[in-house]
Amino acid sequence: ASRSLVFRVAPVEDHPAERASSAPGVHAEGSPGVDIWLCWGLDDPDAEKVTFMSREYGPQVPRSLIAPLRKMPFGHLALWGPAEPVEVTKLYVE
């Protein structure tokens, strides 16, 4: 896959853009969203790198930037993410 899954959090009845939208499920820019990346090697403590998106062709990121996972606030939720999210994103998009 060339793109990550995107998880959006916005209660339909509480989100102003949803109420104004004529199409249910369509989210306006700026609504909260999280990319969900498939990872290989994360469960192997001896793996030096973690591979995203595609086991064969996905970008590889040093495990030291991923683990230990950290809890990050996201609206009214808390999500687990990489230890160094900015560095991981930079490596992913390069």
Side-chain angles (χ1 to χ4, degrees):
S2 62
R3 297 181 58 181
S4 61
L5 300 171
V6 177
F7 177 60
R8 299 246 181 237
V9 177
V12 172
E13 63 277 359
D14 294 337
H15 195 280
E18 280 292 321
R19 288 193 301 264
S21 172
S22 60
V26 175
H27 296 279
E29 285 297 317
S31 65
V34 173
D35 290 340
I36 300 174
W37 297 344
L38 301 174
C39 301
W40 284 270
L42 190 58
D43 58 344
D44 181 359
D46 297 326
E48 291 182 21
K49 296 195 174 196
V50 174
T51 305
F52 292 149
M53 305 308 289
S54 168
R55 187 179 298 212
E56 297 293 321
Y57 305 105
Q60 295 186 353
V61 176
R63 183 180 186 76
S64 62
L65 297 178
I66 305 291
L69 295 176
R70 72 181 205 178
K71 194 183 294 187
M72 297 181 285
F74 182 73
H76 297 290
L77 302 173
L79 302 175
W80 290 97
E84 300 292 336
V86 173
E87 292 303 315
V88 169
T89 303
K90 285 180 186 176
L91 287 173
Y92 176 73
V93 297
E94 289 180 349

Coordinates of all heavy atoms in Angstrom, one line a residue:
A1 N 0.8 -1.2 0.0 CA 0.0 0.0 0.0 C 0.9 1.2 0.0 O 1.9 1.3 0.7 CB -0.9 0.0 1.2
S2 N 0.5 2.2 -0.7 CA 1.3 3.5 -0.8 C 0.8 4.5 0.2 O 1.4 5.5 0.4 CB 1.2 4.0 -2.2 OG -0.1 4.4 -2.5
R3 N -0.3 4.3 0.9 CA -0.9 5.2 1.8 C -1.2 4.5 3.1 O -1.6 3.4 3.1 CB -2.1 5.9 1.2 CG -1.8 6.7 0.0 CD -3.0 7.4 -0.5 NE -3.5 8.2 0.5 CZ -4.6 8.9 0.3 NH1 -5.3 8.9 -0.8 NH2 -5.1 9.7 1.3
S4 N -1.2 5.3 4.2 CA -1.6 4.7 5.5 C -3.1 4.8 5.6 O -3.8 5.5 4.9 CB -1.0 5.5 6.6 OG -1.3 6.8 6.5
L5 N -3.7 4.0 6.5 CA -5.1 4.2 6.9 C -5.2 5.4 7.7 O -4.2 5.8 8.4 CB -5.5 3.0 7.7 CG -5.4 1.6 7.1 CD1 -5.7 0.5 8.1 CD2 -6.4 1.5 5.9
V6 N -6.3 6.1 7.7 CA -6.5 7.3 8.5 C -7.7 7.1 9.4 O -8.8 6.7 8.9 CB -6.7 8.5 7.6 CG1 -7.0 9.8 8.5 CG2 -5.5 8.8 6.7
F7 N -7.5 7.2 10.6 CA -8.5 7.1 11.7 C -8.9 8.5 12.1 O -8.1 9.3 12.5 CB -7.9 6.3 12.9 CG -8.8 6.2 14.0 CD1 -10.0 5.5 13.9 CD2 -8.4 6.7 15.3 CE1 -10.8 5.3 15.0 CE2 -9.3 6.5 16.4 CZ -10.5 5.8 16.2
R8 N -10.2 8.8 11.8 CA -10.7 10.1 12.2 C -11.6 10.0 13.4 O -12.4 9.1 13.5 CB -11.5 10.7 11.0 CG -10.7 10.9 9.8 CD -10.5 12.3 9.5 NE -9.8 12.5 8.3 CZ -8.7 13.2 8.2 NH1 -8.2 13.9 9.3 NH2 -8.0 13.3 7.1
V9 N -11.5 11.0 14.3 CA -12.4 11.0 15.5 C -13.2 12.3 15.5 O -12.7 13.4 15.6 CB -11.5 11.0 16.8 CG1 -12.4 11.1 18.0 CG2 -10.7 9.7 16.8
A10 N -14.5 12.1 15.2 CA -15.4 13.3 15.2 C -16.8 12.8 15.4 O -17.3 12.2 14.4 CB -15.2 14.1 14.0
P11 N -17.4 12.9 16.5 CA -18.8 12.5 16.6 C -19.7 13.3 15.6 O -19.6 14.5 15.6 CB -19.2 12.9 18.1 CG -17.9 13.0 18.8 CD -16.9 13.5 17.8
V12 N -20.5 12.7 14.8 CA -21.2 13.3 13.8 C -22.1 14.4 14.4 O -22.2 15.5 13.8 CB -22.1 12.3 13.0 CG1 -23.0 12.9 12.0 CG2 -21.2 11.3 12.3
E13 N -22.8 14.1 15.4 CA -23.8 15.1 16.0 C -23.1 16.3 16.6 O -23.7 17.3 16.8 CB -24.7 14.4 16.9 CG -24.1 13.9 18.2 CD -23.5 12.5 18.0 OE1 -23.6 11.9 16.9 OE2 -23.0 11.9 19.0
D14 N -21.8 16.2 17.0 CA -21.1 17.2 17.7 C -20.1 18.0 16.8 O -19.6 19.0 17.2 CB -20.3 16.7 18.8 CG -21.2 16.1 19.9 OD1 -22.4 16.5 20.0 OD2 -20.8 15.3 20.7
H15 N -19.9 17.6 15.6 CA -18.9 18.2 14.7 C -19.5 19.2 13.8 O -20.3 18.8 12.9 CB -18.1 17.1 14.0 CG -16.8 17.6 13.4 ND1 -16.8 18.3 12.2 CD2 -15.5 17.5 13.8 CE1 -15.6 18.7 11.9 NE2 -14.8 18.2 12.9
P16 N -19.2 20.5 13.9 CA -19.9 21.5 13.0 C -19.7 21.2 11.5 O -20.7 21.4 10.8 CB -19.2 22.8 13.4 CG -18.5 22.6 14.7 CD -18.2 21.1 14.8
A17 N -18.6 20.8 11.1 CA -18.4 20.5 9.7 C -19.3 19.3 9.2 O -19.8 19.3 8.1 CB -16.9 20.2 9.4
E18 N -19.5 18.4 10.1 CA -20.4 17.3 9.7 C -21.8 17.7 9.6 O -22.6 17.3 8.7 CB -20.4 16.2 10.8 CG -19.2 15.3 10.7 CD -19.2 14.4 9.4 OE1 -20.3 13.9 9.1 OE2 -18.2 14.2 8.8
R19 N -22.3 18.6 10.5 CA -23.7 19.1 10.4 C -23.9 19.9 9.1 O -24.9 19.9 8.5 CB -24.0 20.0 11.6 CG -24.1 19.1 12.9 CD -24.7 19.9 14.0 NE -24.0 21.1 14.3 CZ -23.1 21.2 15.3 NH1 -22.8 20.1 16.1 NH2 -22.4 22.3 15.6
A20 N -22.8 20.6 8.7 CA -22.9 21.5 7.5 C -22.7 20.7 6.2 O -23.1 21.1 5.1 CB -21.9 22.6 7.6
S21 N -22.2 19.5 6.3 CA -21.9 18.7 5.1 C -23.1 18.0 4.6 O -24.0 17.5 5.4 CB -20.8 17.6 5.5 OG -20.7 16.7 4.4
S22 N -23.3 18.0 3.3 CA -24.4 17.3 2.7 C -24.1 15.8 2.6 O -25.1 15.0 2.4 CB -24.7 17.9 1.3 OG -23.6 17.7 0.5
A23 N -22.9 15.4 2.7 CA -22.5 13.9 2.6 C -22.1 13.4 3.9 O -21.1 13.9 4.5 CB -21.4 13.8 1.6
P24 N -22.8 12.4 4.5 CA -22.4 11.9 5.8 C -21.1 11.2 5.7 O -20.7 10.6 4.7 CB -23.5 10.8 6.1 CG -24.6 11.0 5.1 CD -24.0 11.8 4.0
G25 N -20.3 11.4 6.7 CA -18.9 10.7 6.7 C -17.9 11.5 6.1 O -16.7 11.2 6.1
V26 N -18.2 12.7 5.5 CA -17.2 13.5 4.9 C -16.7 14.5 5.9 O -17.5 15.2 6.6 CB -17.8 14.3 3.7 CG1 -16.7 15.3 3.1 CG2 -18.2 13.4 2.6
H27 N -15.4 14.5 6.1 CA -14.8 15.4 7.2 C -14.1 16.6 6.6 O -13.4 16.4 5.6 CB -13.8 14.6 8.0 CG -14.4 13.4 8.8 ND1 -15.1 13.6 9.9 CD2 -14.5 12.1 8.5 CE1 -15.6 12.5 10.3 NE2 -15.3 11.6 9.5
A28 N -14.3 17.7 7.2 CA -13.6 18.9 6.7 C -12.1 18.9 7.1 O -11.7 18.2 8.1 CB -14.3 20.1 7.4
E29 N -11.3 19.7 6.4 CA -9.9 19.8 6.8 C -9.9 20.3 8.2 O -10.7 21.2 8.6 CB -9.2 20.8 5.8 CG -8.9 20.2 4.4 CD -8.0 19.0 4.5 OE1 -7.0 19.1 5.2 OE2 -8.3 18.1 3.8
G30 N -8.9 19.9 8.9 CA -8.7 20.3 10.3 C -9.4 19.4 11.3 O -9.2 19.6 12.5
S31 N -10.2 18.5 10.9 CA -10.8 17.6 11.8 C -9.7 16.6 12.3 O -8.8 16.3 11.5 CB -12.0 16.8 11.3 OG -11.6 16.0 10.2
P32 N -9.8 16.1 13.5 CA -8.7 15.3 14.0 C -8.5 14.0 13.2 O -9.5 13.4 12.7 CB -9.2 14.9 15.4 CG -10.4 15.7 15.7 CD -10.9 16.3 14.4
G33 N -7.3 13.6 12.9 CA -7.0 12.4 12.2 C -5.7 11.8 12.6 O -4.8 12.5 13.0
V34 N -5.6 10.5 12.5 CA -4.4 9.8 12.9 C -4.1 8.8 11.7 O -4.9 8.1 11.3 CB -4.6 9.0 14.2 CG1 -3.4 8.1 14.5 CG2 -4.8 9.9 15.3
D35 N -2.8 8.8 11.3 CA -2.4 7.8 10.3 C -2.1 6.5 11.1 O -1.5 6.5 12.1 CB -1.1 8.2 9.6 CG -1.4 9.4 8.6 OD1 -2.5 9.6 8.2 OD2 -0.4 10.0 8.2
I36 N -2.6 5.4 10.5 CA -2.3 4.1 11.1 C -1.4 3.3 10.2 O -1.8 3.1 9.0 CB -3.6 3.3 11.4 CG1 -4.5 4.1 12.3 CG2 -3.3 1.9 11.9 CD1 -5.9 3.5 12.6
W37 N -0.2 3.0 10.6 CA 0.8 2.4 9.7 C 0.9 0.9 10.1 O 1.1 0.6 11.3 CB 2.1 3.1 9.9 CG 2.2 4.5 9.4 CD1 1.2 5.1 8.6 CD2 3.2 5.4 9.6 NE1 1.6 6.4 8.4 CE2 2.8 6.6 9.0 CE3 4.4 5.4 10.4 CZ2 3.6 7.8 9.0 CZ3 5.1 6.6 10.4 CH2 4.7 7.7 9.8
L38 N 0.9 0.0 9.2 CA 1.2 -1.4 9.4 C 2.7 -1.5 9.7 O 3.5 -0.8 9.0 CB 0.8 -2.2 8.2 CG -0.7 -2.2 7.8 CD1 -0.9 -2.9 6.5 CD2 -1.5 -2.7 8.9
C39 N 3.1 -2.2 10.6 CA 4.5 -2.3 11.0 C 5.0 -3.8 11.0 O 4.2 -4.7 11.5 CB 4.8 -1.8 12.4 SG 4.3 0.0 12.5
W40 N 6.2 -4.1 10.5 CA 6.8 -5.4 10.7 C 8.1 -5.2 11.4 O 8.8 -4.3 11.2 CB 7.1 -6.0 9.3 CG 5.8 -6.5 8.6 CD1 5.3 -7.7 8.7 CD2 4.9 -5.7 7.8 NE1 4.1 -7.8 8.0 CE2 3.9 -6.5 7.4 CE3 4.9 -4.4 7.4 CZ2 2.8 -6.1 6.6 CZ3 3.9 -4.0 6.6 CH2 2.9 -4.8 6.2
G41 N 8.3 -6.2 12.4 CA 9.5 -6.2 13.2 C 9.3 -5.5 14.5 O 10.2 -5.5 15.3
L42 N 8.2 -4.9 14.7 CA 8.0 -4.3 16.0 C 7.9 -5.2 17.2 O 8.3 -4.9 18.3 CB 6.7 -3.5 15.9 CG 6.3 -2.5 17.1 CD1 7.5 -1.5 17.3 CD2 5.0 -1.8 16.9
D43 N 7.4 -6.4 16.9 CA 7.3 -7.5 18.0 C 8.6 -8.2 18.2 O 8.6 -9.1 19.1 CB 6.1 -8.4 17.6 CG 6.3 -9.1 16.3 OD1 7.1 -8.7 15.5 OD2 5.6 -10.1 16.1
D44 N 9.6 -8.0 17.4 CA 10.9 -8.7 17.5 C 11.9 -7.8 18.2 O 12.4 -6.8 17.6 CB 11.4 -9.1 16.2 CG 12.7 -9.8 16.2 OD1 13.3 -10.0 17.3 OD2 13.3 -10.2 15.1
P45 N 12.2 -8.0 19.5 CA 13.1 -7.1 20.3 C 14.5 -7.1 19.7 O 15.3 -6.2 20.0 CB 13.1 -7.7 21.7 CG 12.5 -9.1 21.6 CD 11.7 -9.1 20.3
D46 N 14.9 -8.1 18.9 CA 16.2 -8.1 18.3 C 16.3 -7.4 16.9 O 17.4 -7.3 16.4 CB 16.7 -9.6 18.1 CG 16.8 -10.3 19.5 OD1 17.2 -9.6 20.5 OD2 16.5 -11.5 19.6
A47 N 15.2 -7.0 16.4 CA 15.2 -6.4 15.1 C 15.7 -5.0 15.2 O 15.4 -4.2 16.1 CB 13.7 -6.3 14.5
E48 N 16.7 -4.6 14.4 CA 17.3 -3.3 14.4 C 16.4 -2.2 13.8 O 16.5 -1.1 14.1 CB 18.6 -3.3 13.7 CG 19.7 -4.1 14.5 CD 21.0 -4.0 13.8 OE1 21.3 -3.1 13.0 OE2 21.8 -5.0 14.1
K49 N 15.6 -2.7 12.8 CA 14.7 -1.7 12.1 C 13.3 -2.3 12.1 O 13.0 -3.5 12.1 CB 15.2 -1.5 10.7 CG 16.5 -0.9 10.6 CD 16.9 -0.4 9.3 CE 18.2 0.4 9.4 NZ 18.4 1.3 8.3
V50 N 12.3 -1.3 11.9 CA 10.9 -1.7 11.8 C 10.5 -1.2 10.4 O 10.9 -0.1 9.9 CB 10.1 -0.9 12.9 CG1 8.6 -1.1 12.6 CG2 10.5 -1.4 14.2
T51 N 9.8 -2.0 9.7 CA 9.3 -1.7 8.3 C 7.9 -1.3 8.3 O 7.0 -2.0 8.9 CB 9.5 -3.0 7.4 OG1 10.9 -3.4 7.5 CG2 9.2 -2.7 6.0
F52 N 7.6 -0.2 7.6 CA 6.2 0.3 7.5 C 5.6 -0.1 6.2 O 6.2 -0.1 5.2 CB 6.2 1.8 7.6 CG 6.6 2.4 9.0 CD1 7.2 3.6 9.0 CD2 6.3 1.7 10.2 CE1 7.6 4.1 10.3 CE2 6.7 2.2 11.4 CZ 7.3 3.4 11.4
M53 N 4.3 -0.2 6.2 CA 3.4 -0.3 5.1 C 3.5 -1.5 4.2 O 2.5 -2.1 3.9 CB 3.6 0.9 4.2 CG 3.4 2.3 4.9 SD 1.9 2.4 5.8 CE 0.7 2.5 4.5
S54 N 4.7 -1.9 3.8 CA 4.9 -3.1 3.0 C 6.1 -3.8 3.5 O 7.2 -3.3 3.6 CB 5.1 -2.7 1.5 OG 5.5 -3.8 0.7
R55 N 5.9 -5.1 3.7 CA 7.0 -5.9 4.3 C 8.2 -5.9 3.3 O 9.3 -5.9 3.7 CB 6.5 -7.4 4.5 CG 7.5 -8.2 5.2 CD 7.0 -9.6 5.4 NE 5.8 -9.5 6.3 CZ 5.5 -10.4 7.1 NH1 6.2 -11.5 7.2 NH2 4.4 -10.3 7.9
E56 N 7.9 -6.0 2.0 CA 9.0 -6.1 1.0 C 9.6 -4.7 0.6 O 10.7 -4.6 0.4 CB 8.5 -6.8 -0.2 CG 8.1 -8.2 0.0 CD 9.2 -9.1 0.4 OE1 10.3 -8.9 -0.2 OE2 9.0 -10.0 1.3
Y57 N 8.7 -3.7 0.5 CA 9.1 -2.4 -0.1 C 9.0 -1.2 0.8 O 9.3 -0.1 0.3 CB 8.3 -2.2 -1.4 CG 8.4 -3.3 -2.4 CD1 7.4 -4.2 -2.6 CD2 9.6 -3.6 -3.1 CE1 7.5 -5.3 -3.4 CE2 9.7 -4.6 -4.0 CZ 8.6 -5.5 -4.1 OH 8.8 -6.6 -5.0
G58 N 8.4 -1.4 2.0 CA 8.2 -0.3 2.8 C 9.4 0.4 3.4 O 10.5 -0.2 3.4
P59 N 9.3 1.6 3.8 CA 10.5 2.3 4.5 C 10.9 1.6 5.8 O 10.0 1.1 6.5 CB 10.0 3.7 4.7 CG 8.5 3.6 4.7 CD 8.1 2.4 3.8
Q60 N 12.1 1.6 6.0 CA 12.6 1.0 7.3 C 13.1 2.1 8.2 O 13.8 3.0 7.8 CB 13.8 0.0 7.0 CG 13.3 -1.2 6.2 CD 14.4 -2.2 6.0 OE1 15.5 -2.0 6.4 NE2 14.0 -3.3 5.5
V61 N 12.7 2.0 9.4 CA 13.0 3.0 10.4 C 13.8 2.4 11.6 O 13.3 1.3 12.0 CB 11.7 3.7 10.9 CG1 12.0 4.7 12.1 CG2 11.0 4.4 9.8
P62 N 14.8 3.0 12.1 CA 15.5 2.3 13.3 C 14.6 2.1 14.4 O 13.8 3.0 14.8 CB 16.6 3.4 13.6 CG 16.8 4.2 12.4 CD 15.5 4.2 11.7
R63 N 14.7 0.9 15.0 CA 13.8 0.6 16.1 C 13.9 1.6 17.3 O 13.0 1.8 18.0 CB 14.2 -0.8 16.6 CG 13.3 -1.3 17.7 CD 13.7 -2.7 18.1 NE 12.8 -3.3 19.1 CZ 11.6 -3.7 18.8 NH1 11.2 -3.7 17.6 NH2 10.8 -4.2 19.7
S64 N 15.1 2.2 17.4 CA 15.3 3.1 18.5 C 14.4 4.4 18.4 O 14.2 5.0 19.4 CB 16.8 3.6 18.6 OG 17.2 4.2 17.4
L65 N 13.9 4.7 17.2 CA 13.0 5.8 17.1 C 11.6 5.4 17.4 O 10.7 6.3 17.6 CB 13.1 6.4 15.7 CG 14.4 7.0 15.3 CD1 14.4 7.5 13.8 CD2 14.8 8.1 16.2
I66 N 11.3 4.1 17.4 CA 9.9 3.6 17.6 C 9.7 3.2 19.0 O 8.7 3.6 19.6 CB 9.7 2.3 16.7 CG1 10.0 2.6 15.2 CG2 8.3 1.8 16.9 CD1 9.0 3.6 14.6
A67 N 10.6 2.5 19.6 CA 10.5 1.9 20.9 C 11.4 2.7 21.9 O 12.5 3.1 21.5 CB 10.8 0.4 21.0
P68 N 10.9 2.9 23.1 CA 9.6 2.4 23.7 C 8.5 3.3 23.2 O 8.7 4.5 22.9 CB 9.8 2.6 25.2 CG 10.8 3.7 25.3 CD 11.7 3.6 24.2
L69 N 7.3 2.7 23.0 CA 6.2 3.5 22.5 C 5.8 4.5 23.6 O 6.1 4.3 24.8 CB 5.0 2.5 22.3 CG 5.2 1.5 21.1 CD1 4.0 0.6 21.1 CD2 5.4 2.3 19.8
R70 N 5.2 5.6 23.2 CA 4.8 6.6 24.2 C 3.3 6.9 24.0 O 2.8 6.8 22.8 CB 5.6 7.8 24.1 CG 5.4 8.7 22.9 CD 6.4 9.8 23.0 NE 5.8 10.9 22.2 CZ 6.4 12.1 22.1 NH1 7.5 12.3 22.7 NH2 5.9 13.1 21.4
K71 N 2.7 7.3 25.1 CA 1.2 7.6 25.0 C 1.1 9.1 24.7 O 1.8 9.9 25.2 CB 0.6 7.4 26.4 CG -0.9 7.4 26.3 CD -1.5 7.2 27.7 CE -1.2 5.8 28.2 NZ -2.0 5.6 29.5
M72 N 0.3 9.4 23.7 CA 0.1 10.8 23.2 C -1.4 11.2 23.3 O -2.2 10.4 22.9 CB 0.6 10.9 21.8 CG 2.1 10.6 21.7 SD 2.7 10.8 20.0 CE 2.1 9.3 19.2
P73 N -1.7 12.4 23.8 CA -3.1 12.8 23.8 C -3.6 13.1 22.4 O -2.8 13.6 21.5 CB -3.0 14.1 24.6 CG -1.6 14.6 24.5 CD -0.7 13.4 24.3
F74 N -4.8 12.8 22.2 CA -5.5 13.0 20.9 C -6.9 13.3 21.2 O -7.8 12.4 21.3 CB -5.3 11.8 20.0 CG -5.9 11.9 18.6 CD1 -5.3 12.7 17.7 CD2 -7.1 11.3 18.3 CE1 -5.9 12.9 16.4 CE2 -7.7 11.5 17.1 CZ -7.1 12.3 16.1
G75 N -7.2 14.6 21.3 CA -8.6 15.0 21.7 C -8.9 14.4 23.1 O -8.1 14.6 24.0
H76 N -10.0 13.7 23.2 CA -10.4 13.1 24.4 C -9.8 11.7 24.6 O -10.2 11.0 25.5 CB -11.9 13.0 24.5 CG -12.5 14.4 24.6 ND1 -12.4 15.3 25.6 CD2 -13.2 15.1 23.6 CE1 -13.0 16.4 25.4 NE2 -13.5 16.3 24.2
L77 N -9.0 11.2 23.6 CA -8.4 9.9 23.7 C -6.9 10.0 24.0 O -6.3 11.0 23.9 CB -8.6 9.2 22.3 CG -10.0 9.1 21.8 CD1 -9.9 8.5 20.3 CD2 -10.8 8.1 22.7
A78 N -6.3 8.8 24.3 CA -4.9 8.7 24.3 C -4.5 7.6 23.4 O -5.1 6.5 23.4 CB -4.4 8.4 25.8
L79 N -3.5 7.8 22.5 CA -3.0 6.9 21.6 C -1.6 6.5 21.8 O -0.8 7.3 22.4 CB -3.2 7.4 20.1 CG -4.5 7.8 19.7 CD1 -4.5 8.5 18.3 CD2 -5.5 6.7 19.7
W80 N -1.2 5.3 21.4 CA 0.2 4.9 21.5 C 0.9 5.3 20.2 O 0.4 5.0 19.2 CB 0.4 3.4 21.9 CG -0.1 3.1 23.3 CD1 -1.3 2.7 23.6 CD2 0.7 3.3 24.4 NE1 -1.3 2.6 25.0 CE2 -0.1 2.9 25.5 CE3 2.0 3.7 24.7 CZ2 0.3 3.0 26.8 CZ3 2.4 3.8 26.0 CH2 1.6 3.4 27.1
G81 N 2.1 5.8 20.3 CA 2.8 6.2 19.1 C 4.3 6.0 19.3 O 4.8 5.5 20.4
P82 N 5.1 6.3 18.3 CA 6.6 6.1 18.4 C 7.2 7.0 19.4 O 6.7 8.1 19.7 CB 7.1 6.4 17.0 CG 6.0 7.2 16.4 CD 4.7 6.9 17.0
A83 N 8.4 6.5 19.9 CA 9.2 7.3 20.9 C 9.5 8.7 20.3 O 9.5 9.7 21.0 CB 10.4 6.5 21.3
E84 N 9.9 8.7 19.0 CA 10.3 10.0 18.4 C 9.4 10.2 17.1 O 9.8 10.0 16.0 CB 11.8 9.9 18.0 CG 12.7 9.7 19.1 CD 12.8 10.9 20.0 OE1 12.5 12.0 19.6 OE2 13.2 10.6 21.2
P85 N 8.2 10.7 17.3 CA 7.2 10.8 16.2 C 7.7 11.7 15.1 O 7.5 11.4 13.9 CB 5.9 11.3 16.8 CG 6.3 11.8 18.2 CD 7.6 11.1 18.6
V86 N 8.3 12.8 15.4 CA 8.8 13.8 14.4 C 9.9 13.1 13.5 O 9.8 13.2 12.3 CB 9.3 15.1 15.0 CG1 9.9 16.0 14.0 CG2 8.1 15.8 15.7
E87 N 10.8 12.5 14.1 CA 11.9 11.8 13.4 C 11.4 10.7 12.5 O 11.8 10.5 11.4 CB 13.0 11.4 14.3 CG 13.8 12.5 15.0 CD 14.4 13.4 14.0 OE1 15.0 13.0 13.0 OE2 14.3 14.7 14.2
V88 N 10.5 9.9 13.1 CA 9.9 8.8 12.3 C 9.2 9.3 11.1 O 9.3 8.8 10.0 CB 8.9 8.0 13.2 CG1 8.1 7.0 12.4 CG2 9.7 7.2 14.3
T89 N 8.4 10.4 11.2 CA 7.7 11.0 10.1 C 8.6 11.5 9.1 O 8.4 11.3 7.9 CB 6.7 12.1 10.6 OG1 5.8 11.6 11.6 CG2 5.9 12.7 9.5
K90 N 9.7 12.2 9.5 CA 10.7 12.7 8.5 C 11.3 11.6 7.7 O 11.4 11.6 6.5 CB 11.8 13.4 9.3 CG 11.5 14.8 9.8 CD 12.6 15.4 10.5 CE 12.3 16.8 11.1 NZ 13.4 17.3 11.9
L91 N 11.7 10.5 8.4 CA 12.2 9.3 7.7 C 11.2 8.7 6.7 O 11.5 8.2 5.7 CB 12.8 8.3 8.6 CG 14.1 8.6 9.4 CD1 14.4 7.6 10.4 CD2 15.2 8.8 8.4
Y92 N 10.0 8.7 7.2 CA 8.9 8.0 6.4 C 8.7 8.8 5.1 O 8.5 8.2 4.0 CB 7.6 8.0 7.2 CG 6.5 7.4 6.4 CD1 6.4 6.1 6.0 CD2 5.4 8.3 6.0 CE1 5.3 5.6 5.3 CE2 4.4 7.8 5.2 CZ 4.3 6.5 4.9 OH 3.3 6.0 4.2
V93 N 8.7 10.1 5.1 CA 8.4 10.9 3.9 C 9.6 11.2 3.0 O 9.4 11.7 1.9 CB 7.7 12.3 4.3 CG1 6.4 12.0 5.0 CG2 8.6 13.1 5.2
E94 N 10.8 10.9 3.5 CA 11.9 11.1 2.7 C 12.1 10.0 1.6 O 11.8 9.0 1.7 CB 13.2 11.2 3.5 CG 13.3 12.4 4.3 CD 14.5 12.5 5.2 OE1 15.2 11.5 5.3 OE2 14.8 13.5 5.7

